[in-house]
Amino acid sequence: MVKLAEWRGKEVFRRYGIPIPTGRVIRSAAEAAEVVRSGAVPLPVVVKAQVLAGGRGKGGAVRFATTVEELQSVVLAMLGMDFKGETVKELLLEPKVAVGRELYLSIALDRSARVPLLIASGTGGVEIESLSDDQLVRVPVHPFVGLAAYEKLRVAEAFSLAPPASKELGGLLDSLWRAFQGEDAELVEINPLAVVEGHLVALDAKVIIEDDAGFRHPQYAEIRDDRTPLEEIAREKEIAFVQLDGDIGVIANGAGLTMATLDVLAQFGGRPGVFLDLGGTDDPNKVTEAFLLMAKARPSVVFLNIFGGVTRCDTVAKGLVAAMTQVPDSDRFPLVARIRGNNEDLGRQILESAGITALSDLQASAQAVVEAEKLRKGSGGSP
Amino acid sequence: MVKLAEWRGKEVFRRYGIPIPTGRVIRSAAEAAEVVRSGAVPLPVVVKAQVLAGGRGKGGAVRFATTVEELQSVVLAMLGMDFKGETVKELLLEPKVAVGRELYLSIALDRSARVPLLIASGTGGVEIESLSDDQLVRVPVHPFVGLAAYEKLRVAEAFSLAPPASKELGGLLDSLWRAFQGEDAELVEINPLAVVEGHLVALDAKVIIEDDAGFRHPQYAEIRDDRTPLEEIAREKEIAFVQLDGDIGVIANGAGLTMATLDVLAQFGGRPGVFLDLGGTDDPNKVTEAFLLMAKARPSVVFLNIFGGVTRCDTVAKGLVAAMTQVPDSDRFPLVARIRGNNEDLGRQILESAGITALSDLQASAQAVVEAEKLRKGSGGSP
Amino acid sequence: MSVLVDSDTRVVVQGITGHQGTVHTVQMKLFGTQVVAGVTPGKGGAQVEGVPVFNSVAEAVARTGANVSVIFVPAPFARDAFIEATDAGIHLAVIVTEHIPFHDMLTMYQYGRLRGTRIIGPNCPGIGAPGKAKVGIIPNVVFRPGRVGVISRSGTLTYEIVNGIKEVGLGQSTCIGLGGDPVVGTSFVDALPWFEQDSETDLVVLVGEIGGTAEEEAAEYIHQHLTKPVVAYIAGRSAPEGKRMGHAGAIIARGRGTAASKRSALQQAGATVADFPYDVPALVAQRLREAGRR
Amino acid sequence: MSVLVDSDTRVVVQGITGHQGTVHTVQMKLFGTQVVAGVTPGKGGAQVEGVPVFNSVAEAVARTGANVSVIFVPAPFARDAFIEATDAGIHLAVIVTEHIPFHDMLTMYQYGRLRGTRIIGPNCPGIGAPGKAKVGIIPNVVFRPGRVGVISRSGTLTYEIVNGIKEVGLGQSTCIGLGGDPVVGTSFVDALPWFEQDSETDLVVLVGEIGGTAEEEAAEYIHQHLTKPVVAYIAGRSAPEGKRMGHAGAIIARGRGTAASKRSALQQAGATVADFPYDVPALVAQRLREAGRR
């Protein structure tokens, strides 16, 4: 998924006709001063750090300035600051407005019902999780017909707006729905949707685009704000990558088997670190790439757990052997391989002729992995 | 329905991404010369009369010019000319291009199947009715999903284009479908869709917008190129109006009853002229308006045939009596009224107290109408 | 047994506070129909002619057990009113509203299919089953209980013919006005099997119009499946080609859909085709006698 | 009787000339499946492993009587491939393709409902009924005919468990891999009744994952309707919250969909819940013994 920074989300909103404040993104104090002096954004301004984590208001990532001098010092203080692990590189300047009411509006997928779900609340500006069910209106949206009048009416009742905002709501709901569908979004969220001088304005924007729809939206391919370098490589190679807290590297195929592997390792006290899911591949190069990626993550020990289906065991074995020759000595790691399924015997032969022992029992393999990790840690870490 | 002149249809195409020639609409020879001199449309040019009737090519409504002088004389000759009853007021100037192939493409409603039907032919530039079924590809388009790849492939097979045109086809089909849906069209037709220097270009555009969707498309309300003044008044008053060849005016309610009335009159040799269908109204003012409109059409005799349902007979009677007081003596016409259904007795009373005889038998009434017409004609026409 | 509606039908009137909605609520009640609810957003809590008004169909269904809707709301809002009825679990919607854009009707038709809601109409007079229920706007005075089924694309012409059937001493089992719009939720072919299966119907009267090919398809169906006698009338035999006779459903295009082709198809399928509407009742009586039903 | 497929199933492979399409055509044929046609636009007339290739599904259906499709076409084209299969009258489509945008799947799911085409998947291993037919990519080696039904959201983990059932000397009636994507055509609740009604199934193994609430809904259904014993395993008990474990189907959101909630719901519904995948076969054997089925 691609999480869009607030200003990118607002740009999406603008394209679909959702009103947003007139803002500018700046990357330096000089730029900020120029934006204000030129009148592009009038003082007083709100300065918002363009980070993806929530809770910016409480965390000092949203500040105000009433003079150019104040603005410059606020910008200097905010640029480069660390916010929940993200470095602030961009700030959004917007005019400070008198907010009448704060509302909440979002559309996301309801997986069980297999339809998008619009959620609205007359109480916006807070974490939606903090609201009780009776403060929320939930409206399933049929993908073939969008929001019907009676569904909009339910939102209108929850908001109980006065004109002109009440007149604007229907169009805004349609726009939000079109943005959700048109951008292949996993989430479009306006929190708060504010009433400013009687009109509806989206004061914040949270938009998450689905990765799988990237072929329809090449413009989002460039956005990688929330990815670590290793995640970025994994993405390019189409390998699912998860970074956990432990030291055991796990390479498996299929999400279910990956998770089951985690469960089995946990049973023996193993703490997994990097997880790679090969998915269904029978390309030895992809297997090699996965191993080289794993080597970069510097695991203390690696557990290869493959059940051969689409992915054939001999393919994995060949890719693994090829990778081993390419990993520099400094990055070497102990390896426990467990392979079952299609071409299992052939895979085992290939591994064994390269000096790698291939087990078949999952429980025994997991135990071996955890013991190998303990041994390595006991011996004082990397060689 | 609103039939768009070619240039308006092309403007719709352009908005939806269908390639059209760079053209200009002109209304005088001076304007034409300026368009060419400014380079907006390069010589040689094609000059196309913006009339709605077909067969422009053969009928001299499409001409060419290679010099400014020639263009001016062509424009002078064409402006104001009569083409199948329409006066030419606007001309479309476009660069004359070397047409490779001519194809046909349209989308219209298939009423039986209750889905839009895309029709394509590798033989364009001719009247589609002249093509045999094996020269046509018919693709039903599901309104919820649009054109699927396999359906586009059927069109591609019919066209068998070379690149780059072959690459452009899929997008063009999507655009045509979006135009059909987005504009609430009854018909979108490109004939010919031409291959010009390897690329697809819509050389003509026929777009018909559905009247009933006018509330979504106020921009089309101004276009009334194909309406007579009486039709325009009828439209404003929401009275269905049909002009036929005869002299008997008919006012009825409901399309079926209107047509049945026609059938019954024909049985006695009656030749109906203006037909008004009141539809389902119970507003006496609308009835009055219909009568005043009928008076303007100067019928030799008027047949009122009402079966009261939504439209109550007393409402019609009241409206009729009110109208009679407003029709100037010079426009007076003999009237035969036949009313049945809701409040029939009340309606008859109202008419009779105003001196109008109300019959109830349809066949006898029709016969009386035809005899009244003969009498009037025999007596030498209008009083 | 009747077709589509009966004395258990519980009607909700969408757009009940509008003029037509109110007028026909009274008429449906006079007919004996159980009109249990009305819906007009924002007017919940009111009463119209003794019928409680709700803000939404869902509320109407929950509170009154309504299962059939009749829609009078203006054309721009009809699509959403139908979606609302469908989402609320209504299984039959009679749409009286005229001038609904056919693109909206395409959506409504498919959405109804997806969710299992049958549409009669739009721009239609609706359904009447004398002695049981009426959902729509057919004048009460034309009905009389009997064993003649009527399916029609017309409005007033239907009243004319149904009334004629009454005047020769016969009556109707169920009468359905399908509406004459370019896209209708229910066509002759959809409705014919219901009458074939209806134990209270002895004969079917089919009232068609020029334009479209619905009558030709009906003829095909009658030929293949119908055992009951059919009497038909096609309006517009004298209409000139290409003229729009009052609604979009009556355009003759490309030589198909003429009165001649419809009449001939129906005759070949074994139907008796009347030349004029006032001939229908006598032909009905004759076919019933021939079938030993009168 | 088996579930969804049997020896009369006639399979068309959409995307047969692609690498996966060809590989699994061979495997399905080795399993004994009647793979009667392949479709790749522009490659009509070719043969792949003895299977004739057509340009369209409609042609494949007309020429070979294919009635079930398995879709291997790349994600950007999967939506249209499914629509094509549906329009051609295919009543069951197994979609192996992964990375289909969920917005496309919403469309496909609704279109399938409208037209009566059941979807298994996407991003799924498909269906296998040992001795009858396999439509999908589950390795042939894991199967053995028997009376255990398997429904799973996982791929390789399913193979692992199905294989384990074989290794303790039991076999499977039908095994369905539903796929783990956010929107699937068929969920546990859709599939459970088929196994309940299947005379060849004595026990159902349910393999779930963290994320979503499909397992909780399955538990509710099992509690209310299932008479046959159920053994379940839920992968991801040790997964940390909020981490994406390989596909979008496995995100834990807002405390719902945890392994703990799924395990507890299933246990309360009477299912036996395994702690680890390799415990499943023994628990299956035990429940069968208790039920007097072994």
Side-chain angles (χ1 to χ4, degrees):
Chain A
M1 58 187 170
V2 184
K3 291 184 188 170
L4 302 191
E6 177 189 3
W7 71 269
R8 289 187 201 270
K10 282 182 169 167
E11 180 55 27
V12 169
F13 284 180
R14 193 191 56 72
R15 276 196 286 125
Y16 284 88
I18 298 170
I20 54 166
T22 316
R24 288 285 187 283
V25 177
I26 59 97
R27 290 166 188 83
S28 71
E31 222 182 323
E34 175 54 28
V35 160
V36 168
R37 283 200 190 101
S38 72
V41 179
L43 287 167
V45 295
V46 54
V47 186
K48 306 174 85 176
Q50 297 302 286
V51 287
L52 297 168
R56 288 182 300 171
K58 291 177 200 155
V62 176
R63 302 188 194 178
F64 300 91
T66 52
T67 66
V68 174
E69 294 66 35
E70 193 185 357
L71 172 63
Q72 285 180 301
S73 74
V74 164
V75 166
L76 285 171
M78 289 176 79
L79 281 175
M81 77 183 263
D82 177 89
F83 186 79
K84 301 185 182 176
E86 294 175 67
T87 303
V88 176
K89 292 172 185 162
E90 296 172 328
L91 301 172
L92 177 62
L93 302 195
E94 288 178 348
K96 193 183 170 197
V97 291
V99 174
R101 288 182 56 200
E102 294 192 323
L103 312 162
Y104 175 90
L105 210 50
S106 72
I107 306 178
L109 176 67
D110 179 341
R111 294 164 47 154
S112 292
R114 292 178 270 216
V115 291
L117 186 71
L118 181 141
I119 298 180
S121 175
T123 308
V126 297
E127 293 273 304
I128 191 66
E129 292 88 339
S130 69
L131 298 176
S132 60
D133 273 356
D134 63 352
Q135 291 177 294
L136 300 175
V137 169
R138 304 160 78 93
V139 180
V141 188
H142 198 287
F144 287 165
V145 296
L147 282 155
Y150 84 97
E151 296 169 321
K152 293 179 186 173
L153 192 65
R154 289 188 54 209
V155 178
E157 282 166 359
F159 286 179
S160 59
L161 297 165
S166 59
K167 305 279 182 197
E168 295 163 359
L169 181 61
L172 188 143
L173 291 171
D174 283 334
S175 293
L176 191 67
W177 167 247
R178 280 200 304 271
F180 180 73
Q181 254 193 343
E183 299 300 302
D184 280 292
E186 291 187 11
L187 173 72
V188 286
E189 184 183 69
I190 313 178
N191 189 17
L193 172 65
V195 181
V196 176
E197 293 170 8
H199 294 277
L200 291 175
V201 182
L203 287 194
D204 200 352
K206 191 166 182 183
V207 175
I208 302 177
I209 307 296
E210 197 198 14
D211 265 345
D212 286 342
F215 63 89
R216 279 197 285 259
H217 308 282
Q219 73 272 24
Y220 295 125
E222 295 306 304
I223 303 168
R224 50 190 71 175
D225 304 340
D226 61 332
R227 292 195 195 105
T228 66
L230 287 184
E231 281 175 334
E232 190 50 43
I233 297 171
R235 197 183 114 87
E236 273 167 22
K237 308 291 181 194
E238 294 188 349
I239 298 161
F241 177 104
V242 179
Q243 174 73 61
L244 300 179
D245 296 334
D247 298 313
I248 301 173
V250 174
I251 301 177
N253 61 332
L257 186 60
T258 305
M259 285 188 282
T261 306
L262 192 76
D263 294 347
V264 177
L265 281 172
Q267 180 188 14
F268 298 108
R271 299 185 59 244
V274 163
F275 256 76
L276 298 184
D277 175 0
L278 293 173
T281 183
D282 56 357
D283 176 3
N285 291 331
K286 189 168 168 185
V287 179
T288 304
E289 295 287 0
F291 268 87
L292 295 175
L293 181 62
M294 179 58 86
K296 288 205 179 75
R298 308 199 126 241
S300 61
V301 53
V302 169
F303 182 19
L304 173 74
N305 184 15
I306 298 295
F307 197 98
V310 176
T311 310
R312 299 190 330 261
C313 292
D314 55 326
T315 302
V316 173
K318 279 181 204 149
L320 175 54
V321 170
M324 283 307 180
T325 65
Q326 294 178 43
V327 174
D329 277 355
S330 60
D331 290 357
R332 282 282 164 93
F333 42 76
L335 175 72
V336 175
R338 182 260 175 177
I339 57 173
R340 291 302 308 272
N342 262 358
N343 293 8
E344 171 178 333
D345 293 338
L346 192 54
R348 188 165 291 120
Q349 277 171 30
I350 294 169
L351 289 181
E352 282 174 359
S353 55
I356 301 166
T357 309
L359 307 174
S360 63
D361 185 77
L362 176 54
Q363 195 167 13
S365 311
Q367 206 161 0
V369 168
V370 175
E371 274 160 20
E373 191 206 6
K374 280 183 190 149
L375 261 177
R376 190 137 194 245
K377 284 208 169 141
S379 76
S382 57
Chain B
M1 58 188 169
V2 184
K3 291 184 189 171
L4 301 191
E6 177 190 2
W7 72 269
R8 289 188 202 268
K10 282 183 169 163
E11 180 55 27
V12 169
F13 284 180
R14 193 192 56 71
R15 274 195 286 124
Y16 284 88
I18 297 171
I20 53 166
T22 316
R24 288 284 186 284
V25 176
I26 59 97
R27 290 165 189 84
S28 71
E31 222 182 322
E34 175 53 28
V35 160
V36 169
R37 285 203 188 100
S38 71
V41 179
L43 288 167
V45 295
V46 53
V47 187
K48 307 175 84 176
Q50 297 302 287
V51 288
L52 296 169
R56 288 181 301 171
K58 291 174 200 160
V62 176
R63 302 188 194 178
F64 300 91
T66 53
T67 65
V68 173
E69 294 66 34
E70 192 185 356
L71 174 62
Q72 286 180 300
S73 74
V74 163
V75 166
L76 286 170
M78 290 176 78
L79 280 175
M81 76 183 264
D82 177 89
F83 186 79
K84 301 185 182 177
E86 294 175 65
T87 303
V88 176
K89 293 173 185 162
E90 296 172 328
L91 300 172
L92 176 61
L93 302 195
E94 288 178 349
K96 193 184 170 197
V97 291
V99 174
R101 289 182 56 201
E102 294 192 322
L103 313 161
Y104 175 90
L105 210 50
S106 71
I107 307 178
L109 176 66
D110 179 343
R111 292 165 46 154
S112 291
R114 291 178 269 217
V115 290
L117 187 70
L118 181 141
I119 298 181
S121 175
T123 307
V126 297
E127 292 273 305
I128 192 66
E129 292 88 339
S130 70
L131 298 176
S132 61
D133 273 357
D134 62 352
Q135 293 177 292
L136 300 174
V137 169
R138 303 162 77 94
V139 181
V141 189
H142 199 285
F144 286 166
V145 297
L147 281 154
Y150 85 98
E151 296 169 322
K152 294 179 185 172
L153 192 64
R154 290 189 54 208
V155 178
E157 281 165 1
F159 286 180
S160 60
L161 298 165
S166 58
K167 305 277 181 199
E168 295 163 359
L169 181 60
L172 189 144
L173 291 170
D174 284 334
S175 293
L176 191 66
W177 167 248
R178 279 199 305 270
F180 180 74
Q181 254 194 342
E183 299 301 300
D184 280 291
E186 290 186 12
L187 173 71
V188 287
E189 185 183 66
I190 313 179
N191 189 19
L193 172 66
V195 181
V196 176
E197 294 172 6
H199 295 278
L200 292 174
V201 183
L203 288 195
D204 201 353
K206 191 166 180 183
V207 176
I208 302 178
I209 308 295
E210 197 198 13
D211 265 346
D212 287 342
F215 63 88
R216 278 197 285 259
H217 309 280
Q219 73 273 26
Y220 295 124
E222 295 307 304
I223 304 168
R224 50 190 71 175
D225 304 341
D226 62 332
R227 291 194 196 107
T228 66
L230 285 185
E231 282 176 333
E232 189 51 43
I233 297 171
R235 198 184 113 88
E236 272 167 22
K237 308 290 182 195
E238 295 187 350
I239 297 161
F241 178 104
V242 179
Q243 174 74 61
L244 301 178
D245 297 333
D247 298 313
I248 301 174
V250 175
I251 301 177
N253 61 332
L257 187 60
T258 305
M259 286 188 282
T261 306
L262 191 76
D263 295 347
V264 177
L265 282 171
Q267 181 189 14
F268 300 107
R271 300 187 57 244
V274 162
F275 257 77
L276 299 182
D277 176 1
L278 293 173
T281 181
D282 56 357
D283 176 4
N285 291 331
K286 190 168 167 187
V287 179
T288 305
E289 296 286 1
F291 267 87
L292 295 175
L293 180 62
M294 178 59 85
K296 290 204 178 75
R298 308 199 127 240
S300 62
V301 53
V302 168
F303 183 18
L304 173 75
N305 184 14
I306 297 294
F307 198 100
V310 176
T311 310
R312 299 189 332 260
C313 293
D314 55 326
T315 304
V316 173
K318 279 180 203 150
L320 176 52
V321 170
M324 283 307 179
T325 64
Q326 295 177 41
V327 176
D329 276 354
S330 60
D331 292 356
R332 281 282 163 91
F333 42 78
L335 175 73
V336 176
R338 182 260 177 178
I339 55 173
R340 292 300 309 271
N342 261 0
N343 293 7
E344 173 180 330
D345 293 337
L346 193 54
R348 187 166 291 119
Q349 278 171 28
I350 294 168
L351 289 181
E352 283 174 359
S353 55
I356 302 165
T357 310
L359 306 174
S360 64
D361 185 77
L362 177 53
Q363 196 167 12
S365 310
Q367 205 162 359
V369 169
V370 175
E371 274 159 22
E373 189 205 9
K374 282 183 190 149
L375 261 177
R376 189 135 194 245
K377 283 207 170 141
S379 77
S382 58
Chain C
M1 188 180 110
S2 46
V3 170
L4 291 179
V5 298
D6 59 25
S7 41
D8 293 330
T9 296
R10 298 174 72 80
V11 176
V12 53
V13 180
Q14 289 184 259
I16 194 169
T17 56
H19 175 64
Q20 293 296 337
T22 302
V23 164
H24 291 289
T25 294
V26 173
Q27 292 299 315
M28 286 188 280
K29 288 184 74 174
L30 287 172
F31 195 89
T33 315
Q34 293 194 61
V35 181
V36 297
V39 168
T40 298
K43 301 208 176 151
Q47 294 247 333
V48 170
E49 303 290 339
V51 176
V53 180
F54 300 94
N55 284 323
S56 71
V57 181
E59 203 183 336
V61 167
R63 302 274 289 279
T64 69
N67 50 22
V68 168
S69 169
V70 57
I71 296 179
F72 287 99
V73 305
F77 314 109
R79 170 187 172 280
D80 282 17
F82 171 73
I83 291 172
E84 177 176 2
T86 299
D87 289 354
I90 292 291
H91 68 86
L92 172 66
V94 173
I95 306 178
V96 175
T97 309
E98 58 180 346
H99 296 304
I100 297 176
F102 80 80
H103 282 274
D104 284 357
M105 235 337 264
L106 291 175
T107 300
M108 291 152 75
Y109 175 66
Q110 295 293 345
Y111 195 72
R113 283 181 63 190
L114 183 57
R115 294 296 193 93
T117 305
R118 161 70 58 183
I119 300 173
I120 302 292
N123 187 18
C124 82
I127 311 164
K132 289 165 180 156
K134 185 187 85 168
V135 185
I137 62 171
I138 308 177
N140 293 351
V141 293
V142 303
F143 287 104
R144 181 169 179 271
R147 303 187 55 85
V148 177
V150 179
I151 322 175
S152 171
R153 276 171 69 192
S154 301
T156 42
L157 181 57
T158 313
Y159 313 161
E160 189 79 61
I161 288 171
V162 172
N163 195 55
I165 290 167
K166 184 183 77 174
E167 290 185 338
V168 295
L170 292 166
Q172 309 88 27
S173 53
T174 305
C175 171
I176 306 181
L178 305 171
D181 270 14
V183 179
V184 286
T186 299
S187 65
F188 288 127
V189 170
D190 298 323
L192 280 166
W194 304 334
F195 287 92
E196 173 70 13
Q197 284 151 31
D198 177 30
S199 60
E200 296 181 359
T201 298
D202 288 337
L203 176 149
V204 179
V205 170
L206 187 152
V207 183
E209 288 177 7
I210 53 172
T213 53
E215 291 80 2
E216 285 87 339
E217 288 146 23
E220 181 71 20
Y221 187 89
I222 289 166
H223 178 64
Q224 289 181 9
H225 302 288
L226 231 67
T227 62
K228 297 180 180 177
V230 174
V231 174
Y233 169 68
I234 306 296
R237 196 151 48 110
S238 325
E241 286 209 11
K243 278 286 179 181
R244 190 184 162 101
M245 303 300 291
H247 58 58
I251 296 167
I252 309 184
R254 300 181 189 173
R256 293 181 306 147
T258 62
S261 87
K262 292 174 191 301
R263 287 168 56 91
S264 133
L266 285 162
Q267 274 161 347
Q268 279 169 35
T272 302
V273 181
D275 288 336
F276 300 103
Y278 39 73
D279 293 340
V280 170
L283 293 170
V284 167
Q286 186 188 326
R287 288 294 302 256
L288 283 174
R289 269 194 306 276
E290 287 166 15
R293 291 291 189 171
R294 201 192 184 197
Chain D
M1 186 179 112
S2 46
V3 170
L4 290 180
V5 298
D6 59 26
S7 39
D8 294 330
T9 296
R10 298 175 72 78
V11 176
V12 52
V13 180
Q14 289 183 258
I16 193 170
T17 55
H19 174 65
Q20 294 296 336
T22 302
V23 165
H24 291 289
T25 294
V26 174
Q27 293 298 317
M28 285 187 281
K29 288 184 73 174
L30 286 172
F31 195 88
T33 315
Q34 293 194 62
V35 182
V36 296
V39 169
T40 300
K43 301 209 175 151
Q47 293 247 332
V48 169
E49 305 288 341
V51 175
V53 179
F54 300 93
N55 284 324
S56 71
V57 180
E59 204 184 338
V61 167
R63 303 274 290 280
T64 69
N67 51 21
V68 169
S69 170
V70 56
I71 296 180
F72 288 99
V73 306
F77 313 109
R79 169 187 173 282
D80 282 17
F82 171 74
I83 290 171
E84 178 177 1
T86 300
D87 289 354
I90 293 291
H91 68 86
L92 171 66
V94 173
I95 306 178
V96 175
T97 308
E98 57 180 348
H99 296 304
I100 297 176
F102 79 80
H103 282 274
D104 285 357
M105 236 336 264
L106 290 175
T107 300
M108 294 153 75
Y109 175 66
Q110 295 292 344
Y111 195 71
R113 283 180 62 190
L114 184 55
R115 295 295 194 93
T117 305
R118 164 68 58 183
I119 300 173
I120 302 291
N123 186 18
C124 82
I127 311 164
K132 289 165 180 156
K134 184 186 86 169
V135 185
I137 61 171
I138 309 177
N140 294 351
V141 294
V142 303
F143 287 105
R144 180 168 180 271
R147 303 187 56 85
V148 177
V150 180
I151 321 175
S152 170
R153 278 172 68 192
S154 301
T156 41
L157 180 58
T158 314
Y159 313 160
E160 191 73 66
I161 288 170
V162 173
N163 194 56
I165 291 167
K166 183 184 77 174
E167 290 186 338
V168 296
L170 292 166
Q172 310 88 26
S173 53
T174 305
C175 170
I176 305 181
L178 305 172
D181 270 14
V183 179
V184 287
T186 298
S187 64
F188 288 125
V189 169
D190 297 324
L192 280 166
W194 304 334
F195 286 92
E196 172 70 13
Q197 283 152 30
D198 178 29
S199 61
E200 296 181 359
T201 297
D202 289 338
L203 175 148
V204 180
V205 170
L206 187 153
V207 183
E209 288 178 6
I210 52 171
T213 52
E215 290 80 2
E216 284 86 339
E217 287 147 23
E220 182 71 19
Y221 187 88
I222 289 166
H223 178 64
Q224 289 182 9
H225 303 289
L226 231 68
T227 61
K228 297 180 181 177
V230 175
V231 174
Y233 169 68
I234 305 297
R237 194 153 49 113
S238 325
E241 286 211 13
K243 278 285 177 183
R244 188 183 164 103
M245 304 302 291
H247 59 58
I251 296 167
I252 309 184
R254 298 179 190 175
R256 293 182 307 150
T258 61
S261 87
K262 292 173 190 302
R263 289 167 56 89
S264 130
L266 286 162
Q267 274 161 344
Q268 279 169 33
T272 302
V273 181
D275 288 336
F276 300 103
Y278 38 74
D279 293 341
V280 169
L283 294 170
V284 167
Q286 185 190 327
R287 288 294 301 257
L288 284 174
R289 269 195 306 276
E290 287 167 12
R293 290 293 189 171
R294 200 193 184 194

